[in-house]
Amino acid sequence: MEAYIYDAIRTVRGKGNKKGALMGITPTELCAQTLIALKEKHELETSHVEDLILGCVSQVQDQAANIAKTAAQHSNYGDHLCGVTLNRFCGSGLESINQAAAYVKSGFRNVIIAGGVESMSRVKMGSDGGGMFIDPAVAIPGHIVPQGISADLIASKYGYSRQQVDEFAFESQMRATAAEKEGRFKSRIPVQDINGIEVLSTDENIRPSTTSEGLSSLNPSFAAMGAMAGFNAVAIDRYPEVEEINHVHHAGNSSAIVDGAAIALVGNEEAGQLLGLKPRYKIRAAAIHGTDPTIMLTGIGPASIKALKQAGMKTSDIDLFEINEAFAAVVIKAMDDIGIDHSKVNVNGGAIAMGHPLGATGCMLTGTLMDELERRDLSTGLITLCIGGGMGIATIIERV
């Protein structure tokens, strides 16, 4: 049995701080607005939707107590709609789609909505704690370091210079600026406040005024942490071939902290008949891959290659790629591993420009890729993200 994506919708992304436009909007409300938009767009008979699967990384405070079920209740889809919240760190939004596809392909469900949410202005990253990061019995033997150190380790080990990562970041901003100007983000909706007044209609973090000179003037974000907290030594102990950590990442070439939510409507062929909709994409493959937790962020290449093998495809069979821009060196390394050119990757910019709302990003990338493949009249795309703790995830979609 095939699993199809019938549509995908995301909110705009607001800066994830006290000055961000979406700081006053709860994550439950962000989810509900995407659900309501989907219902209104297709005059959806919501009684056919059986489950809501949402990725969310920091499941505390406003995002605690199974936010998927909370959002389902708040959306007025009906009391029948169940909800489950999952956490595969940065891959959560794509994992939710993959799990929905697995349910559909198994025959256990007909129609599921899957996606993710993260309100990083209201629920700070890391506020949920966790043994991996704070338990010495786990962190010390595992050589666990913060992700920024891992990103700089990648740059150091594989020889990516400050100029290379800054050039990549500049291109992300320019591509996002062009996409915004040309209105390419078709799956995006504005966010309203409790009174129905629009509070944000564009991705708040895009910076058209970015220059190469400006990026080159920014101080590295993780140098002091690496030296003073001893994380550089931990990384080098695990990778002794690296003589020193070259700290190349900063706020301008790393993913921005933002708020946002996204959903995708996933179902089988019967779902289309029930809902009166035509599928847009078929989910061809879904793969995960574990990596060393010190370097941590190199799972994109292996996961993507595994997904290609699963689908019986070659790299050349993929028209466009969406690779989450957690850090610039991560994407450069992934492109080298997969063997692809930047011209086919993140053609509308990425998280460096628009931001990375942890639990939602994978679903956001899926919607962006769906829209762009249709705009260019192309067929196949691959979505992939690196994941904290040493994982990668990849999904291949094909236009119907």
Side-chain angles (χ1 to χ4, degrees), residues 15 20 22 48 58 72 83 90 109 120 133 157 178 180 187 199 214 265 271 277 291 307 357 369 372 377 380 382 391:
K15 292 182 178 180
L22 302 184
H48 294 307
S58 298
C90 298
R109 306 277 193 280
M120 301 180 78
F133 310 107
K157 179 174 171 58
E180 184 69 72
S187 63
V199 296
L265 182 62
L277 298 175
T291 68
L369 184 59
E372 188 62 21
D377 196 22
T380 56
L382 187 151
M391 294 182 282

Side-chain angles (χ1 to χ4, degrees), residues 359-373:
T361 304
C363 186
M364 288 189 169
L365 297 182
T366 303
T368 297
L369 184 59
M370 290 166 60
D371 290 342
E372 188 62 21
L373 286 170

Side-chain angles (χ1 to χ4, degrees), residues 305-375:
I305 292 166
K306 188 181 290 186
L308 287 165
K309 184 177 181 180
Q310 186 184 115
M313 302 173 76
K314 303 184 296 293
T315 302
S316 58
D317 294 325
I318 303 297
D319 295 315
L320 294 176
F321 294 79
E322 283 290 329
I323 302 177
N324 186 40
E325 295 176 356
F327 301 91
V330 169
V331 188
I332 297 171
K333 168 64 173 157
M335 291 191 295
D336 286 348
D337 287 347
I338 303 169
I340 51 177
D341 187 76
H342 196 189
S343 62
K344 296 176 68 173
V345 176
N346 302 356
V347 296
N348 292 321
I352 288 172
M354 291 176 283
H356 175 24
L358 306 177
T361 304
C363 186
M364 288 189 169
L365 297 182
T366 303
T368 297
L369 184 59
M370 290 166 60
D371 290 342
E372 188 62 21
L373 286 170
E374 290 168 356
R375 190 181 78 85

Side-chain angles (χ1 to χ4, degrees), residues 41 69 91 96 101 103 109 119 123-124 137 178 219 234 258 293 335:
K41 178 180 179 181
K69 178 53 183 172
S96 67
Y103 272 122
R109 306 277 193 280
S119 179
V123 184
K124 300 303 179 184
N219 292 324
V234 173
V258 295
M335 291 191 295

